[in-house]
């Protein structure tokens, strides 16, 4: 025993603080969340097993005319639009800045990255001002060209699309930086060989650059998918009360179930549905993009 | 040898429509990227006491009127800024020290159950924070620290990503230095403190920036955990300002703009480290 302590004591001491907070605030919560999703949980009385055990999952999908289903479909639409546009736009912009001088490249990367250091909440607030019905910049542009103003964030048919457009118009800074780094590490002989074979710039880009940065594409697709599935802050601030359920997403639903209805069981069930969706999409993406390229 | 390659638009001597389209796209996206922030600051620097003008102000008046009214009418604004600073700093200091310490143990030391512990950490990396939100709420409520800064700091120290990042980095460090230090009679903690920690500077910079920005900008957990206005962090505060100062948009604009300013200055000062951090997979945006 004493030998064990002198040999390994330091190692355990080194990981102890991290493992302690990790256990209390991550490991136990993950497991507990799973348990609560099968319980009727009240803040006053604690948890009792639900009957039938999957009752919260049924309630999650059926309460208030199945708004959770609407929230899932809103989230999926938001996610598909943002992931596709972010990855594509990131790839195009990174390709365009790649041939520029070092100074210009640094300038564009910094310009794209600058807004990204602000919170999603603040970006959302700023967009809410742009979309403001009376004095917003969006309607000002419409007035300039003689069009009728649009109720960007208060018309239930438009509000979710306004939110999506605001995300699409936020330049995907991470994608530009990562693609740019990946392109910089492709050996130049590949391009020289292609040039000898008479390949033009577009051909070289499509046949060399794009395939060789596939692992970056996969990584970005996964992180943008996760981020878009978890969208909450900007929706909370852009449409504080929701527009006739048309702007509900999975996380706004979790928030409402837990901290407006105080139904922790249903909220946990919804959170686990979110986790399953993210895991499924991530596995799917790994299969599509699987790459064995080494260079 | 690997050379950096300039592609796919080489410098042509003849006219190329592709180049013009490319430049147009770069300039257009730059304007789009910076416009919302520009407009926010323009409005914040223009004296507005009620509803903003119908014709948008596009040139700032460089007046600090709104900011003066902000600090006089909103007595908690300074508190919010201090709270955000305290939370982000405390969580960052924790992660810089303890993630490096345990990252070192996982990378370079052997001990029973090491892989079990590490896999536990790895397996929770993909789990969305919304899954732990409710149990963390119940635990902090049990600990009686809800609606205090501790409620933000303590769960913040549990993020496992930094341990993973530091382990990956420390694995690439040569073992010889540590062994030489041990030969010279350095204690086990001394090896970490004098040899490993100084070598980790680039990774620590990335981790520190990532953690600080993340907790400065955090919203979901703070809005759940905090209820008294004096305990708010900046994000929660400015989200609630809209209801409170409904008629005075100047205050709202200046409050929002001022909340963005520290991060923007921070970015402009440490740009290189930010972009390095993005490349290491640490910073999102």
């Amino acid at each position: 025993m004493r030998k064990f302590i002198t040999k390994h004591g330091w190692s355990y001491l080194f990981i102890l603080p991290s493992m302690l907070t990790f256990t209390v605030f991550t490991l136990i919560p993950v497991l507990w969340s799973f348990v609560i999703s099968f319980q009727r949980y009240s803040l006053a009385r604690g948890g009792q097993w639900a009957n039938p055990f999957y009752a919260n999952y049924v309630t999650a999908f059926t309460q208030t005319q199945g708004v959770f289903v609407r929230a899932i479909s809103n989230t999926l639409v938001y996610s598909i639009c943002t992931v596709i546009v972010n990855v594509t736009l990131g790839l195009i912009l990174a390709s365009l800045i790649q041939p520029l001088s070092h100074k210009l490249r640094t300038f564009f990367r910094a310009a794209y990255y600058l807004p990204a250091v602000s919170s999603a909440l603040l970006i959302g607030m700023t967009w809410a001002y742009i979309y403001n019905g009376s004095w917003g910049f969006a309607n000002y542009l419409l007035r300039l060209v003689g069009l009728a103003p649009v109720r960007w964030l208060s018309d239930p048919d438009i509000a979710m699309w306004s939110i999506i457009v605001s995300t699409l118009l936020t330049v995907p800074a991470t994608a530009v930086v990562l693609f740019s780094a990946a392109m910089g590490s492709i050996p130049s002989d590949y391009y020289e060989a292609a040039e000898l074979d008479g390949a033009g710039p577009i051909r070289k880009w499509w046949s060399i650059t794009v395939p060789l940065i596939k692992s970056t594409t996969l990584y970005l697709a996964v992180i943008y998918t996760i981020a878009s599935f978890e969208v909450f802050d900007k929706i909370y601030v852009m449409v504080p009360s929701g527009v006739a359920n048309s702007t509900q997403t999975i996380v706004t639903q979790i928030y409402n179930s837990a901290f407006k209805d105080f139904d922790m069981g249903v909220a946990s069930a919804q959170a686990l549905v979110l986790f399953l969706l993210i895991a499924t999409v991530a596995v799917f993406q790994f299969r599509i993009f699987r790459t064995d390229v080494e260079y | 040898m690997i050379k950096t390659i300039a592609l796919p638009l080489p410098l042509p001597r003849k006219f190329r429509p592709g180049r013009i389209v490319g430049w147009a796209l770069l300039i257009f996206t730059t304007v789009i990227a910076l416009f919302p922030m520009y407009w926010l600051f323009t409005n914040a620097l223009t004296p507005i006491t009620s509803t903003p003008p119908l014709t948008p102000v596009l040139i700032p008046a460089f007046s600090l009127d709104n900011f003066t009214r902000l600090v006089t009418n909103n007595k908690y604004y300074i508190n919010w800024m201090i709270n955000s600073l305290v939370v982000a700093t405390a969580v960052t200091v924790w992660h810089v020290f303890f993630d490096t310490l345990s990252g070192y143990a996982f990378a370079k030391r052997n001990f029973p159950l090491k892989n079990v512990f590490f896999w536990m950490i790895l397996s929770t990396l993909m789990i969305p924070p919304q899954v732990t939100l409710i149990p963390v709420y119940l635990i902090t409520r049990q600990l009686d620290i809800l609606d205090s800064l501790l409620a933000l700091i303590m769960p913040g120290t549990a993020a496992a990503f930094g341990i993973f990042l530091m382990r990956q980095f420390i694995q690439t460090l040569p073992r010889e230095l540590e062994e030489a230090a041990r030969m010279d009679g350095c204690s086990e903690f001394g090896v970490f403190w004098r040899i490993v920690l100084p070598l980790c500077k680039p990774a620590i910079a990335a981790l520190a920036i990532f953690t600080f920005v993340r907790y400065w900008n955090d919203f979901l957990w703070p809005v759940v955990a905090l209820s008294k206005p004096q305990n708010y962090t900046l994000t929660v505060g400015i989200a609630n300002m809209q209801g409170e100062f409904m008629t005075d948009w100047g205050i709202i604009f200046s409050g929002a703009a001022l909340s963005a300013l520290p991060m923007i200055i921070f970015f402009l000062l440490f740009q290189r480290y930010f972009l390095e951090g993005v490349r290491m997979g640490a910073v999102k945006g």
Side-chain angles (χ1 to χ4, degrees), chain B residues 27-203:
Chain B
I27 292 164
F28 178 70
T29 46
T30 309
V31 172
I32 293 277
L34 297 177
F35 178 75
M37 280 293 141
Y38 175 78
W39 197 46
L40 178 66
F41 275 90
T42 312
N43 275 306
L45 291 168
T46 307
I48 300 171
T49 45
S50 55
T51 320
L54 280 184
T55 309
V57 205
L58 288 176
I59 314 290
F62 294 108
S63 138
L64 293 179
D65 282 14
N66 296 333
F67 293 92
T68 335
R69 283 206 319 291
L70 170 74
V71 269
T72 47
N73 293 11
N74 186 345
K75 55 180 193 274
Y76 294 125
Y77 194 86
I78 303 294
N79 285 37
W80 300 344
M81 205 162 240
I82 294 170
N83 290 346
S84 284
L85 192 68
V86 168
V87 170
T89 309
V91 176
T92 304
V93 168
W94 168 283
H95 280 293
V96 163
F97 184 74
F98 288 109
D99 288 2
T100 316
L101 190 60
S102 46
Y104 163 63
F106 282 120
K108 289 291 172 78
R109 305 177 68 92
N110 279 315
F111 51 94
L113 295 180
K114 173 172 128 170
N115 291 334
V116 176
F117 286 132
F118 190 66
W119 278 104
M120 265 176 5
I121 287 172
L122 263 192
S123 61
T124 58
L125 280 185
M126 279 281 279
I127 293 175
Q130 290 79 11
V131 170
T132 55
L133 179 71
I134 290 152
V136 166
Y137 176 81
L138 298 174
I139 290 169
T140 44
R141 195 169 167 269
Q142 209 64 49
L143 294 174
D144 210 17
I145 54 172
L146 262 185
D147 199 15
S148 76
L149 295 188
L150 268 185
L152 307 191
I153 295 169
M154 287 179 59
T157 60
F161 175 76
I163 301 174
F164 176 70
L165 183 84
M166 293 316 295
R167 174 198 178 254
Q168 299 301 92
F169 183 84
I170 293 169
Q171 267 186 335
T172 65
L173 299 178
R175 203 175 272 275
E176 290 77 16
L177 285 171
E178 291 162 52
E179 271 153 22
R182 267 189 206 107
M183 297 277 195
D184 292 348
C186 215
S187 72
E188 289 302 315
F189 184 77
V191 171
F192 167 75
W193 186 251
R194 285 164 206 224
I195 311 294
V196 179
L197 203 61
L199 288 173
C200 288
K201 267 184 198 147

Side-chain angles (χ1 to χ4, degrees), chain A residues 243-276:
Chain A
V243 188
N245 290 336
S246 71
T247 55
Q248 293 292 338
T249 62
I250 301 178
V251 180
T252 62
Q253 280 291 296
I254 297 171
Y255 177 82
N256 288 346
S257 305
F259 302 107
K260 284 194 174 148
D261 306 343
F262 286 96
D263 196 336
M264 301 299 172
V266 171
S268 298
Q270 290 169 330
L272 284 166
V273 171
L274 170 71
F275 174 51
L276 281 180

